[in-house]
Amino acid sequence: MLNVEHIDVHYGDLQVLWGVSLEVKEGEIVALVGSNGAGKTTLIRTIAGLHKPSSGKITYNGNIMNNQSPHKVVTLGISMVPEGRRLFPKMTVLGNLEMGAFLRKARREKDQTLNWVYEIFPVLSERAQQIAGSLSGGEQQMLAIARALMAKNGFLLLDEISLGLSPLLVKIIFDVIVKINKTGISIFIVEQNVPMALKVADRAYILESGHIVAEDVAKKLLNSDHVREAYLGMSPI
Amino acid sequence: MGQTLVYGILNGALYGIIALGIALVFGVMRYLNLAHGSFIILGAYGSLFLFHLGIDPFASIPVLSIVLFVAGAILFKTSFSRLTTFSEGNKIKNSLLLSFGLMLLIENLATLIWTGDERSITPPYSGLTFGIFDLRIPFIGLAGGILALVLISFLHLFLTRTYFGKSIMAVSQDHEAASLMGINVNRTFLISFAISLTLASIPSVLIGLKAFSPTGGIQWFNKGIIVVMLSGIGNIYGVLPAGLFLGIIEAISVFIFGAPYREVTGLALFVLIMILYPTGLFGIRIES
């Protein structure tokens, strides 16, 4: 479904990603974990079209995605929940959701999708007329995810959705992510919350200093010595 | 006093429409278009030209609108679009530089073509007034006030009711997030810029009916930018009340201190309000 092949990404002269390759198959949840500054966000933003790779190739369902502008990437079927939510703060909750359904095909099914999204996040239907900037952090994150779902795309990129949320909310949000995945939406997660991401994901990649250093079934990575030592602060088994 | 207020309100409505075009471009893409006033003056020359062909100045508004829309689109595509990837501070600075050059270019071209003489469009009804109680209300000024109301209502409906209008609001609040919704941000920028110049068509005619010369644009820009600041940056709905406020204050100052101090009072008041209410009179603060 989504294939990233040997991409290099630079910020000016500084190289951030080095020959990164990964793959997300239809119906999978794939996690990319790693510490701060490893290049996780750069990678997910490159897939979304917000950065251009200097070499390598990104394909989605056969379409070449590198060098596409972000709005084109959405049109081709990939939606993103950006880091820090990035809601339209002065618009209402409903207004934000409507913007999520901006694509022509999504606009036609807007009311249906809206009902579906309200079913997933009932709190949003209660807050429909409230200004997005006035929501609590957890509600804002729910709205950001709901807004991305409004595009009716088969692929979701999630960038650090646990950031700044209480452990309980993180659990609630990740339960929802699994539920969304069950409806047939493939998901690529970038997370600093390594245990949570590895619990919900089918497969995972570890990114360190711009290189993919490990790739495996998520459960196996969760129990590997490297992950236990470097990310969970535990001693090897 | 009542008569002074009438003129203040009518002038204020004009300030409001001028500010609307400046506020739209500033709100959506953080550009300060210093040449906005010069385009108003160009529009006034256009309206004068059409008047000599026998077209009523108010009837020339649709023609001017179309020409200004196309001019705006071309201008954005060829020059202003190059600044879209800059940081917010650099956008403001570079758009100021670019539009300052553009303003000089327009002023000098206009002087070359039409000389520096002051012109005015003079249809038979210019200067006509009607009376309510003991107030004299000029027809042209009243038409301007009504047009301002209609224009702002239309823009409001466009921005809050249509999908494209809402996408303009989304881009103004977070253009990167907007692009992730599938909104073509560059096209939205282009159309907003073109609409901003289209909004110059009504002040073109209203100022054309007063008096104008090639270098008059910057004065009108000054009024517009003061109103934008008063209304609160990025707040399109505040411009009409803020414009009326400035118009009325100016009129009262003329009544009290005399005409020479009109500009001084307006500016002094502006500084005072900026100190007391830095987010503008009608600025909305959102707790994040």
Side-chain angles (χ1 to χ4, degrees):
Chain A
M1 199 170 203
L2 177 76
N3 274 293
V4 177
E5 292 164 42
H6 305 290
I7 59 163
D8 292 333
V9 178
H10 292 80
Y11 285 136
D13 289 335
L14 182 72
Q15 184 159 2
V16 182
L17 294 179
W18 307 72
V20 170
S21 297
L22 56 83
E23 181 192 12
V24 182
K25 296 190 200 97
E26 184 140 19
E28 269 189 323
I29 300 184
V30 172
L32 177 77
V33 297
S35 57
N36 241 334
K40 302 188 302 295
T41 289
T42 304
L43 176 55
I44 202 168
R45 285 171 63 91
T46 306
I47 297 171
L50 294 164
H51 297 307
K52 304 279 169 259
S54 37
S55 66
K57 200 165 96 176
I58 302 171
T59 56
Y60 176 70
N61 284 343
N63 292 311
I64 294 173
M65 306 299 275
N66 39 300
N67 299 321
Q68 299 279 19
S69 42
H71 73 267
K72 202 73 198 161
V73 171
V74 187
T75 316
L76 289 170
I78 299 181
S79 286
M80 173 164 166
V81 179
E83 185 178 351
R85 299 150 203 155
R86 305 292 288 269
L87 300 173
F88 304 117
K90 295 180 196 170
M91 287 188 176
T92 60
V93 168
L94 183 62
N96 271 274
L97 293 173
E98 281 178 338
M99 281 300 110
F102 184 80
L103 294 183
R104 202 150 294 170
K105 68 165 170 73
R107 226 180 284 178
R108 263 183 250 124
E109 306 166 31
K110 192 184 75 186
D111 295 335
Q112 261 168 284
T113 322
L114 204 56
N115 284 335
W116 174 58
V117 161
Y118 282 160
E119 236 169 74
I120 300 173
F121 298 109
V123 66
L124 295 182
S125 75
E126 289 160 31
R127 302 250 189 278
Q129 297 305 327
Q130 208 167 312
I131 299 292
S134 69
L135 296 179
S136 73
E139 288 164 349
Q140 287 195 14
Q141 190 62 68
M142 291 178 195
L143 178 54
I145 296 169
R147 186 179 65 172
L149 289 176
M150 290 300 291
K152 276 294 212 171
N153 277 337
F155 200 102
L156 207 51
L157 300 169
L158 305 175
D159 192 3
E160 306 282 10
I161 50 167
S162 71
L163 218 63
L165 299 184
S166 72
L168 181 66
L169 265 171
V170 171
K171 194 173 173 325
I172 292 171
I173 297 241
F174 273 91
D175 284 347
V176 170
I177 296 304
V178 173
K179 226 198 280 174
I180 292 168
N181 174 249
K182 293 242 163 74
T183 68
I185 296 174
S186 315
I187 294 175
F188 182 62
I189 314 177
V190 152
E191 261 301 334
Q192 282 187 54
N193 188 335
V194 179
M196 202 67 215
L198 292 182
K199 259 175 230 163
V200 300
D202 299 311
R203 289 187 305 113
Y205 295 84
I206 299 177
L207 189 70
E208 282 174 9
S209 319
H211 300 266
I212 298 272
V213 295
E215 176 213 342
D216 209 334
V217 173
K219 300 282 173 311
K220 277 193 193 161
L221 277 180
L222 191 58
N223 294 318
S224 71
D225 287 350
H226 179 75
V227 168
R228 287 172 65 89
E229 266 183 281
Y231 297 103
L232 306 179
M234 291 188 248
S235 55
I237 304 168
Chain B
M1 183 67 192
Q3 190 61 49
T4 323
L5 277 181
V6 168
Y7 284 115
I9 290 169
L10 297 180
N11 268 335
L14 175 60
Y15 298 162
I17 332 179
I18 296 172
L20 201 57
I22 299 169
L24 184 66
V25 163
F26 191 77
V28 175
M29 55 198 110
R30 301 293 179 271
Y31 288 175
L32 260 178
N33 182 11
L34 212 58
H36 193 77
S38 305
F39 280 100
I40 292 175
I41 297 296
L42 270 187
Y45 278 108
S47 184
L48 180 67
F49 173 75
L50 292 171
F51 177 66
H52 287 317
L53 295 179
I55 298 169
D56 183 84
F58 284 98
S60 69
I61 290 176
V63 183
L64 291 180
S65 299
I66 294 168
V67 173
L68 284 166
F69 186 91
V70 174
I74 294 172
L75 189 64
F76 185 83
K77 195 87 193 160
T78 51
S79 57
F80 282 95
S81 64
R82 281 153 215 272
L83 313 180
T84 52
T85 51
F86 291 12
S87 69
E88 185 165 321
N90 281 339
K91 272 191 202 177
I92 296 177
K93 284 183 233 160
N94 285 287
S95 62
L96 270 175
L97 272 176
L98 179 56
S99 58
F100 184 65
L102 196 64
M103 184 190 86
L104 291 179
L105 191 73
I106 294 174
E107 281 183 359
N108 286 294
L109 272 178
T111 312
L112 210 66
I113 302 172
W114 295 292
T115 76
D117 295 345
E118 203 170 72
R119 307 288 175 105
S120 180
I121 307 171
T122 49
Y125 52 82
S126 69
L128 284 189
T129 60
F130 66 99
I132 298 180
F133 306 114
D134 51 351
L135 298 175
R136 310 294 315 160
I137 298 174
F139 277 109
I140 289 172
L142 185 68
I146 292 169
L147 278 174
L149 269 179
V150 171
L151 192 66
I152 286 174
S153 314
F154 259 111
L155 194 69
H156 174 77
L157 288 177
F158 170 66
L159 290 175
T160 54
R161 296 280 187 275
T162 70
Y163 237 101
F164 188 72
K166 286 183 205 171
S167 78
I168 292 183
M169 298 302 277
V171 169
S172 78
Q173 289 175 33
D174 189 333
H175 65 87
E176 191 176 283
S179 73
L180 294 173
M181 305 294 111
I183 296 168
N184 185 339
V185 171
N186 280 328
R187 200 189 58 176
T188 308
F189 281 162
L190 179 124
I191 293 175
S192 310
F193 195 87
I195 291 176
S196 143
L197 284 202
T198 306
L199 294 176
S201 60
I202 291 176
S204 283
V205 168
L206 294 177
I207 290 165
L209 287 162
K210 293 171 183 276
F212 58 97
S213 65
T215 50
I218 191 70
Q219 293 163 2
W220 294 107
F221 173 82
N222 277 342
K223 300 285 186 196
I225 195 71
I226 290 175
V227 171
V228 171
M229 298 297 191
L230 285 180
S231 97
I233 286 177
N235 176 13
I236 291 172
Y237 308 124
V239 291
L240 188 59
L244 293 177
F245 181 74
L246 180 66
I248 290 169
I249 294 294
E250 280 188 359
I252 292 172
S253 82
V254 170
F255 187 73
I256 298 174
F257 306 113
Y261 293 99
R262 190 165 94 159
E263 311 294 312
V264 181
T265 349
L267 286 168
L269 178 92
F270 169 67
V271 171
L272 196 68
I273 286 181
M274 282 293 102
I275 292 168
L276 296 176
Y277 302 96
T279 55
L281 283 180
F282 308 99
I284 315 161
R285 248 168 298 178
I286 301 266
E287 314 291 334
S288 60

